[in-house]
Amino acid sequence: MAIISDNEGGVSFPRSSQKNGRNNRNPVIKSESIEYDNTFENSIRPKDFDGYIGQSALKETLKITLEAAKLREKPLDHMLFYGPPGLGKTTIAGVIASQMGVDIKITSAPALERPRDIIGILMSLKGGEILFIDEIHRLNKVAEEILYPAMEDFTLDMTMGKSQTAKTIRVPLPKFTLIGATTKAGELSSPLRDRFGMVHRLEFYTIEELAQVVKRTAKILEIDIDDKGAAAIARRSRGTPRIANRLVKRVSDFAIVKYDGKINEKVANDSLDILKIDEFGLDNTDRALLSLIIDKYDGGPVGVETIAAALSEDVRTIEDVCEPYLLQAGLLQRTPRGRKVSPEGYRHLGLLAPAEQQTLF
Ligand code: ADE
C-alpha cells in the first residue's frame, strides 16, 4: 500500500504528469524517473517484427498475443523479459508498443527510489499504454508493493495522513501493461514474478542473425558492407546485437577514414584488431579477467568480489556484462566456490590447460 504523507500529516500529491513534456519524435517521456533515450542505439531500433531480427519463438508468441489483445480489445498481459544485457529487451518492448499503436514510458528500477516516483508514473499512464521498467529486480519493497494492486486490479491504494487519522483511498488507474526487463530473473521476488502473464528468456543471437543485424544497421548508416564483412563483425559481437551495432559504427569510422568507405572482411577484421576485439569478441577486460584467474589464482575457483577488486571493476559489471558471454562461450565456469577458467579459456589465451600441462611432463 502506498503511503503518501508529508511531515505535517497532510497529503503530498504524487509528482504531476504535467511536468512530463511529451516528445513527438519518440514515444518516450522525459521526467526525473522516466528516461529519455536519444542515443544512436535508440535511433536504429526496429519498430516492427520484420525489422526485429532473431528471437523467433518470442516473436511468434507475441504476434499471437498482440492479435488476441486487439481482437478482444483488452490490454496486453504484463510481461517479463529476462536475459543478458544487450539482447533487445527494450527494443522488443518498443516493437510491441508500436504494433499496438500505444505509447511506451521507459524507466528503470533505480530511478524509482521514492514512492512518489512510481506513483507519479502510474498516475500519468493512459489506457493501453505500456510502462517499461528496466532492471526490475532492483525495485525496492515499497515500490513493489505499490505495483501489486496496480498490476492486478489497476488501482493505487493510498494511505493519507498519519496513524489514527489516516485514511485509505483507492485510486483507479487506467488499464496499462507493465513490461519488466531484468538480467537477473532469480532476484525477482516471487509475488512480483507471479504477476506477469508472460515470462520469456531472450537468447544469445547466432552469427547469421547478428550478420543480419549488422547489415540492417549499416544500411541505416548508409555504409556499404558485403556479406563477409558483415559476418566478420557478427563473429566478434558476443551473440549480442547491441555490441554488433556498436561495432558496425566503429568499423564504419575506420572504413571512412582509413579505407574507401566500404566494409569488407579485411576492413572489418583489421579495424577490430586495432580495437583489440579478438575473434571471440573478447575485449581487454574479458581477457584481463581470464588472465587474472589463471595467473593469480591458478585458474580458480575464485570469488567474483575478489575478481572485481583486482580488476578495479564493479561486481555488477563483472556479473552482468563480462560473465554471461564468457560462460556461454565455455571459457569460464561458475562453481559453488567461485569462477574457474575452462580448458577452452586457457587455449583462447594461447596457454595449455592444466591437464594438458601435466601430460606434457
Ligand atoms: N537492435 C537490438 N536488437 C535488435 C534486433 N533483434 N534486431 C534488429 N536490431 C536490433
Side-chain angles (χ1 to χ4, degrees):
M1 186 170 291
I3 318 269
I4 307 187
S5 167
D6 62 19
N7 290 339
E8 284 78 50
V11 176
S12 55
F13 203 71
R15 187 192 301 131
S16 163
S17 59
Q18 288 150 19
K19 257 170 64 182
N20 304 331
R22 213 171 259 267
N23 180 300
N24 291 331
R25 280 177 300 117
N26 194 316
V28 175
I29 293 186
K30 184 183 180 183
S31 87
E32 278 167 56
S33 44
I34 300 182
E35 289 162 9
Y36 176 61
D37 180 356
N38 196 20
T39 56
F40 162 67
E41 195 177 344
N42 199 39
S43 69
I44 58 168
R45 284 191 206 281
K47 298 280 179 288
D48 55 27
F49 286 117
D50 289 339
Y52 190 94
I53 294 150
Q55 312 294 346
S56 50
L58 172 61
K59 277 200 298 190
E60 289 319 304
T61 315
L62 282 175
K63 281 181 195 168
I64 305 277
T65 308
L66 265 60
E67 198 55 44
K70 281 184 195 164
L71 289 171
R72 286 202 201 105
E73 297 181 14
K74 288 258 164 68
L76 289 166
D77 271 355
H78 305 302
M79 302 179 191
L80 179 69
F81 297 135
Y82 69 99
L87 297 190
K89 296 185 281 291
T90 313
T91 307
I92 196 76
V95 170
I96 294 169
S98 78
Q99 296 300 289
M100 291 299 287
V102 298
D103 274 354
I104 178 168
K105 287 177 178 164
I106 299 182
T107 187
S108 71
L112 304 173
E113 210 179 311
R114 302 159 300 181
R116 65 180 184 164
D117 295 325
I118 180 93
I119 291 168
I121 291 178
L122 288 170
M123 292 191 68
S124 76
L125 292 171
K126 296 197 183 62
E129 269 186 4
I130 292 176
L131 172 61
F132 180 85
I133 305 184
D134 203 5
E135 298 192 72
I136 196 159
H137 62 279
R138 293 175 67 185
L139 215 54
N140 63 46
K141 201 79 215 120
V142 176
E144 249 189 48
E145 281 176 9
I146 293 169
L147 265 185
Y148 295 156
M151 290 173 77
E152 223 159 331
D153 308 320
F154 302 108
T155 57
L156 263 180
D157 291 339
M158 297 195 287
T159 300
M160 292 190 289
K162 275 192 171 169
S163 48
Q164 286 109 331
T165 57
K167 264 206 229 140
T168 303
I169 53 162
R170 291 207 120 181
V171 180
L173 291 171
K175 294 197 167 60
F176 69 99
T177 299
L178 175 68
I179 301 185
T182 178
T183 49
K184 295 190 167 152
E187 287 187 15
L188 231 66
S189 72
S190 39
L192 182 57
R193 201 172 42 236
D194 292 347
R195 282 172 171 83
F196 289 98
M198 182 198 269
V199 177
H200 195 100
R201 181 192 148 91
L202 276 81
E203 305 292 342
F204 280 112
Y205 289 59
T206 64
I207 305 286
E208 291 72 27
E209 289 166 347
L210 288 173
Q212 287 180 54
V213 172
V214 166
K215 282 196 205 159
R216 179 182 175 277
T217 304
K219 196 167 167 198
I220 296 170
L221 292 174
E222 297 179 356
I223 277 279
D224 244 13
I225 187 163
D226 66 14
D227 287 347
K228 286 189 173 165
I233 297 179
R235 274 195 294 278
R236 301 196 196 196
S237 298
R238 308 166 61 112
T240 307
R242 178 183 292 157
I243 296 179
N245 286 333
R246 284 189 194 149
L247 295 184
V248 179
K249 184 115 190 295
R250 305 292 305 274
V251 174
S252 303
D253 294 344
F254 277 86
I256 292 165
V257 174
K258 290 188 65 164
Y259 302 91
D260 61 355
K262 295 181 180 156
I263 303 176
N264 58 29
E265 191 174 20
K266 181 176 164 39
V267 171
N269 283 335
D270 288 356
S271 312
L272 293 169
D273 285 345
I274 294 170
L275 292 169
K276 301 222 174 336
I277 313 266
D278 69 27
E279 326 76 71
F280 259 58
L282 306 198
D283 61 17
N284 281 338
T285 309
D286 303 310
R287 283 187 297 269
L289 187 152
L290 294 175
S291 300
L292 173 87
I293 301 177
I294 293 173
D295 296 342
K296 297 272 186 335
Y297 302 96
D298 248 350
V302 56
V304 68
E305 288 81 10
T306 310
I307 298 172
L311 295 175
S312 305
E313 284 283 358
D314 193 49
V315 171
R316 199 167 270 154
T317 306
I318 301 289
E319 280 187 336
D320 295 353
V321 181
C322 301
E323 277 188 355
Y325 184 70
L326 293 175
L327 292 164
Q328 140 94 14
L331 303 175
L332 190 70
Q333 293 163 342
R334 205 181 249 164
T335 76
R337 290 172 47 228
R339 278 56 168 174
K340 257 181 89 171
V341 177
S342 70
E344 290 76 21
Y346 276 82
R347 280 183 226 120
H348 184 72
L349 295 183
L351 302 168
L352 290 174
E356 294 159 347
Q357 293 169 19
Q358 276 159 19
T359 52
L360 208 64
F361 296 111

